[in-house]
Amino acid sequence: HGYQLYHSDPSGNYAGWKAHAIGANNQQAQNLLNQEYKEEFGLKEAMKLAVKVLSKTMDSTSLTSDKVEMSVVKYDEEKDQVFFSYVSEEELEPLTKELNEEGNTTTTT
């Protein structure tokens, strides 16, 4: 079945999810994930959605790459290995810039 995501609450109940948010403003984040997540997303689209969720739920006027830490878990079928890596600020910069620009155009129209 590939990667699977589960959330467990303090009572011990758990549920499987395609995308999930916890923490402050989690309901707003969860609503955004429910509306915009698509199973066919590639890595870049998923990263963009994650940054978008953060930008909409953080207590900040604009999101910058120095305010975000992101990591990626990937499976390489050829090597039959799982890889974990941190996403650099340089990789996040275009995503945060694009989302900030989208936010500016939607608020000014």
Side-chain angles (χ1 to χ4, degrees):
H1 291 98
Y3 294 112
Q4 296 183 22
L5 175 66
Y6 289 91
H7 173 248
S8 174
D9 65 27
S11 70
N13 294 323
Y14 64 93
W17 299 87
K18 300 287 183 184
H20 192 65
I22 60 172
N25 297 324
N26 70 333
Q27 191 59 50
Q28 182 182 4
Q30 197 62 44
N31 289 339
L32 190 58
L33 288 170
N34 286 336
Q35 292 171 2
E36 299 199 21
Y37 174 79
K38 294 178 177 48
E39 286 228 24
E40 59 272 3
F41 271 178
L43 179 59
K44 290 295 181 192
E45 293 93 350
M47 288 173 60
K48 183 177 176 182
L49 180 57
V51 172
K52 183 175 185 176
V53 168
L54 288 174
S55 73
K56 301 289 186 191
T57 57
M58 287 179 62
D59 296 327
S60 179
T61 56
S62 67
L63 188 64
T64 58
S65 60
D66 63 328
K67 295 179 183 175
V68 177
E69 290 183 359
M70 184 181 290
S71 57
V72 175
V73 178
K74 292 191 277 188
Y75 175 68
D76 186 330
E77 290 184 30
E78 291 179 17
K79 296 181 181 180
D80 193 32
Q81 287 184 314
V82 176
F83 292 94
F84 175 89
S85 63
Y86 290 101
V87 180
S88 69
E89 282 187 34
E90 291 78 23
E91 293 172 284
L92 286 170
E93 183 66 31
L95 295 173
T96 57
K97 185 177 179 183
E98 182 180 343
L99 286 167
N100 287 327
E101 287 172 359
E102 284 177 12
N104 290 338
T105 58
T106 57
T107 56
T108 58
T109 57

